[in-house]
Amino acid sequence: MTGEFAVIGLGRFGGSIVRELSANGYDVLAIDADEERVNEFMGLATHAVIADTTDENVLKSLGIRNFEHVIVAIGENIQASILTTLILKELGVQIITVKATNDYHEKVLRRIGADNIVHPERDMGIRIANGLMSQSILDYLELSNEHSIVEIKASDKLSNKSLIDLDLRAKYGVNIVAVRRNDDVIISPQADEMILPEDILIIIGKDTDLDRLERTLRSR
């Protein structure tokens, strides 16, 4: 990574990306058609400009093709989001991440070549719902339509056993990729690693397999 990003659309989602990247020392070009939003990021982003990103000449003048990663975070204007993404693709931007507002929007974005597509509102809703439905699952991250990563607190059914004793891969088809213990994280734990009460297990697998595991943990 060159550490140079461009973020198009400075609403809640795009603005949070600009703030986080800037706070971590990355160079960020912040772009929006709304002057008030741009002014908000003048002292935060490396550069903040008012621009219509559906105009190819405008994007060229901004040197957008020199940015390795461009995030299109345009909110309600689906047409502007699609057209901006198409122009970025034609200009040869290496990595394009786009916020999708619905499944139709995502389908079009995939067809025109967006590299990464995110549904921030939907994904956050899924994470909150999973937390409400289960006392075992602490956090949830969707990797694809079929696979996810979950954080599960070691319950009585999991603690004081080694990974080989639990044998979750054979029983459920899921893998423990890390164990968070207090302030430490054990990456790729060994088979003889003992799971202690209060450990947090970070598990990856197919959604159907993770559901089977979660139902088992809920049962008495």
Side-chain angles (χ1 to χ4, degrees):
M1 271 293 186
T2 62
E4 292 187 349
F5 296 83
V7 179
I8 300 172
L10 302 177
R12 185 183 303 172
F13 177 64
S16 66
I17 293 175
V18 173
R19 290 188 183 90
E20 190 66 19
L21 290 172
S22 299
N24 284 277
Y26 290 97
D27 292 329
V28 184
L29 171 62
I31 307 169
D32 200 288
D34 185 281
E35 182 178 1
E36 188 175 335
R37 284 183 175 176
V38 172
N39 288 338
E40 184 182 341
F41 289 89
M42 280 292 188
L44 183 60
T46 312
H47 302 286
V49 298
I50 305 165
D52 175 9
T53 57
T54 63
D55 186 325
E56 182 175 350
N57 291 325
V58 169
L59 285 176
K60 284 181 178 178
S61 70
L62 293 173
I64 203 73
R65 69 180 71 190
N66 297 321
F67 288 84
E68 184 177 359
H69 197 152
V70 178
I71 298 95
V72 181
I74 297 172
E76 297 177 356
N77 193 335
I78 292 179
Q79 181 175 332
S81 169
I82 292 169
L83 187 53
T84 297
T85 304
L86 184 59
I87 295 171
L88 292 172
K89 195 70 182 176
E90 290 178 344
L91 290 177
V93 173
Q94 291 184 45
I95 305 172
I96 305 169
T97 296
V98 191
K99 171 187 174 181
T101 56
N102 55 47
D103 291 340
Y104 169 76
H105 189 189
E106 177 179 359
K107 185 181 294 186
V108 175
L109 291 171
R110 290 198 183 282
R111 290 195 176 181
I112 62 178
D115 299 289
N116 306 303
I117 300 170
V118 295
H119 291 261
E121 289 88 358
R122 183 198 69 184
D123 294 345
M124 182 55 69
I126 291 172
R127 293 174 72 175
I128 291 172
N130 275 273
L132 294 173
M133 290 186 296
S134 172
Q135 295 181 341
S136 302
I137 294 179
L138 301 179
D139 203 357
Y140 167 97
L141 176 63
E142 181 181 8
L143 298 177
S144 70
N145 290 334
E146 295 184 353
H147 295 81
S148 300
I149 292 179
V150 297
E151 289 188 355
I152 294 180
K153 186 176 180 179
S155 63
D156 292 341
K157 292 184 178 181
L158 297 175
S159 58
N160 299 316
K161 299 180 178 69
S162 69
L163 295 187
I164 196 166
D165 290 333
L166 292 174
D167 206 9
L168 297 186
R169 184 171 185 177
K171 293 176 181 175
Y172 300 97
V174 302
N175 290 288
I176 298 176
V177 295
V179 177
R180 195 164 76 235
R181 182 173 296 155
N182 299 320
D183 295 329
D184 297 325
V185 178
I186 304 167
I187 305 295
S188 298
Q190 298 297 312
D192 60 356
E193 182 71 44
M194 292 294 295
I195 301 302
L196 305 180
E198 305 302 319
D199 278 355
I200 306 299
L201 310 184
I202 301 168
I203 304 175
I204 187 170
K206 291 183 67 173
D207 292 338
T208 51
D209 295 330
L210 291 168
D211 286 344
R212 284 195 302 120
L213 171 62
E214 199 274 326
R215 284 197 300 271
T216 300
L217 296 177
R218 270 190 307 181
S219 63
R220 301 198 174 198

